[in-house]
């Protein structure tokens, strides 16, 4: 469900820059930031990079990019 929001020009400008670098739309960039923040608030004990890597891994699984892990 889409919802219209009023956001500051400053936030939109920051999102435009990051969206261009990451090849995302501005709304998707802001959604990404929101998901990262929610995960960080829900897991304050985890380092930020672990949270980013976990979210990336979830998307890789959804996209079917799986491989079996073999223990040494």
């Amino acid at each position: 469900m889409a919802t219209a929001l009023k956001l500051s020009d400053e936030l939109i400008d920051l999102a435009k820059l990051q969206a261009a670098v990451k090849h995302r739309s501005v709304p998707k960039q802001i959604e990404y930031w929101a998901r990262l923040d929610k995960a960080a608030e829900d897991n304050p004990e985890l380092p930020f990079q672990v949270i980013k890597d976990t979210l990336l891994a979830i998307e890789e699984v959804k996209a079917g990019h799986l491989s079996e892990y073999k223990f040494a």
Side-chain angles (χ1 to χ4, degrees):
M1 172 178 72
T3 303
L5 299 172
K6 290 187 179 192
L7 302 171
S8 71
D9 290 340
E10 181 182 359
L11 179 64
I12 298 298
D13 289 342
L14 290 170
K16 282 180 184 177
L17 292 172
Q18 290 294 312
V21 170
K22 304 280 175 74
H23 304 286
R24 296 183 180 118
S25 67
V26 172
K28 287 293 183 186
Q29 181 63 41
I30 294 171
E31 183 180 311
Y32 173 73
W33 284 340
R35 289 180 63 218
L36 276 176
D37 183 66
K38 182 180 180 327
E41 286 186 0
D42 290 347
N43 301 282
E45 71 286 353
L46 293 178
F48 185 69
Q49 191 61 48
V50 170
I51 293 169
K52 284 178 66 175
D53 291 345
T54 301
L55 291 176
L56 176 60
I58 290 168
E59 292 306 315
E60 287 174 339
V61 168
K62 286 180 184 177
H65 296 277
L66 302 172
S67 61
E68 184 178 340
Y69 182 80
K70 296 185 181 186
F71 291 94

